[in-house]
Amino acid sequence: MKPAIWLDGSLCDADSARVSVFDHGLTVGDGVFETVKATEGQPFALTRHLRRLARSAEGLGLPEPDLDEVRRGCEEVLGAHPVPFGRLRITYTGGLSPLGSDRGTAGPTLVVALSEAARRPDATAVITVPWARNERGALTGLKTTSYGENVVALARAREQDATEALFGNTVGALCEGTGTNVFVVLDGELHTPPLSSGCLAGITRALVLEWVGAKETDLPLEALRRAEEVFLTSTTRDVQGVHRVDTRILPGAPGPVTAEALRIFTERAAADIDP
């Protein structure tokens, strides 16, 4: 069966799904999105993801999305193409527009698509990159389709046999990864950068803060060099230990704090599909 795609109100397959070459999401990256973990046809934390989609749309100046319609699209795609473990992608763009930065009047484009995903290993390698997140930018804290910086940084990570790249911000503080939030253990205590660092308000990050507990702390990027443990959080990684940061090896990863965070997260997530 070919993957199902929900485009502006109806299901279609990958061969027939078409978005205009003049769509503002394509021409200037004017759009927002969410990635939702789907397990056996069930989306995880969908309500939280839809709320963030609406916040991102508002921050970008897009019309408020009809979240009931988005939810219908998710249900139809998941029903048409259930997979054991997948990535459900919701994309909401500025729609058909003139070439240039001005938006048109045709209204937004909404796409929901699903693809199978590989389950993450317990630990991975990361690198730091020399480019900074702008904690004062117009898009700070919004999950937009303007992902060029992340593409470049992730390609650098792949060149160094890593699966993620971590950014500092303009003042040299630890911020986030290309698609993850980062937690570090310092002197036995769990810390993560605050939202004021410029990082995205990750759904998994928020759940770890609620279920496991951690201090939101301004940390220098160099904290990665002295942390006893480091782990990443994201929708498809859940809680993933880090066994190497640049050339520094963290033996035994995932460490005890990471392992406990993963245990709690796994148990709580299994008990409530939409926390």
Side-chain angles (χ1 to χ4, degrees):
M1 177 188 296
K2 292 182 179 179
I5 296 168
W6 198 85
L7 173 60
D8 287 338
S10 61
L11 281 173
C12 50
D13 61 31
D15 292 333
S16 62
R18 295 289 184 269
V19 174
S20 171
V21 296
F22 294 103
D23 191 277
H24 231 210
L26 172 65
T27 57
V28 297
D30 178 25
V32 297
F33 77 99
E34 287 291 320
T35 298
V36 183
K37 179 175 67 174
T39 305
E40 302 297 341
Q42 295 296 314
F44 178 70
L46 182 59
T47 298
R48 289 180 184 248
H49 281 285
L50 294 184
R51 288 173 182 162
R52 189 173 64 182
L53 181 77
R55 291 197 301 271
S56 294
E58 180 182 13
L60 201 57
L62 290 170
E64 182 179 358
D66 182 339
L67 297 186
D68 289 335
E69 182 184 20
V70 180
R71 193 179 289 271
R72 283 195 301 274
C74 293
E75 291 172 353
E76 291 197 26
V77 167
L78 288 167
H81 187 63
V83 295
F85 185 73
R87 185 190 303 265
L88 184 68
R89 164 77 181 233
I90 304 163
T91 307
Y92 184 69
T93 79
L96 187 65
S97 300
L99 291 174
S101 296
D102 288 331
R103 289 194 182 113
T105 59
T109 298
L110 175 62
V111 181
V112 181
L114 177 69
S115 65
E116 291 194 64
R119 295 184 184 273
R120 56 104 184 102
D122 289 340
T124 193
V126 305
I127 66 165
T128 55
V129 290
W131 310 295
R133 286 290 202 234
N134 182 0
E135 70 278 12
R136 301 186 303 275
L139 303 184
T140 300
L142 309 181
K143 195 169 180 67
T144 76
T145 58
S146 299
Y147 243 48
E149 284 187 348
N150 293 329
V151 171
V152 172
L154 190 57
R156 172 74 64 89
R158 297 295 187 186
E159 291 170 357
Q160 299 182 34
D161 296 322
T163 69
E164 182 59 302
L166 301 181
F167 294 89
N169 62 17
T170 64
V171 295
L174 180 62
C175 186
E176 65 179 352
T178 68
T180 64
N181 292 107
V182 58
F183 288 73
V184 299
V185 178
L186 297 167
D187 298 323
E189 291 190 326
L190 186 59
H191 301 262
T192 194
L195 299 183
S196 59
S197 71
C199 68
L200 184 72
I203 303 301
T204 309
R205 173 189 182 275
L207 291 172
V208 169
L209 286 172
E210 293 174 22
W211 293 346
V212 179
K215 294 182 177 180
E216 294 182 271
T217 310
D218 282 308
L219 298 167
L221 191 60
E222 290 74 19
L224 293 168
R225 298 176 184 169
R226 57 188 177 87
E228 297 116 55
E229 298 178 41
V230 179
F231 68 78
L232 307 175
T233 60
S234 79
T235 290
T236 54
R237 295 178 192 250
D238 292 338
V239 174
Q240 184 181 37
V242 171
H243 62 70
R244 175 171 62 86
V245 178
D246 294 324
T247 60
R248 183 193 174 207
I249 304 299
L250 286 81
V257 176
T258 303
E260 179 66 2
L262 176 57
R263 182 192 67 79
I264 294 171
F265 184 88
T266 301
E267 289 181 359
R268 295 289 296 268
D272 187 356
I273 196 71
D274 197 21

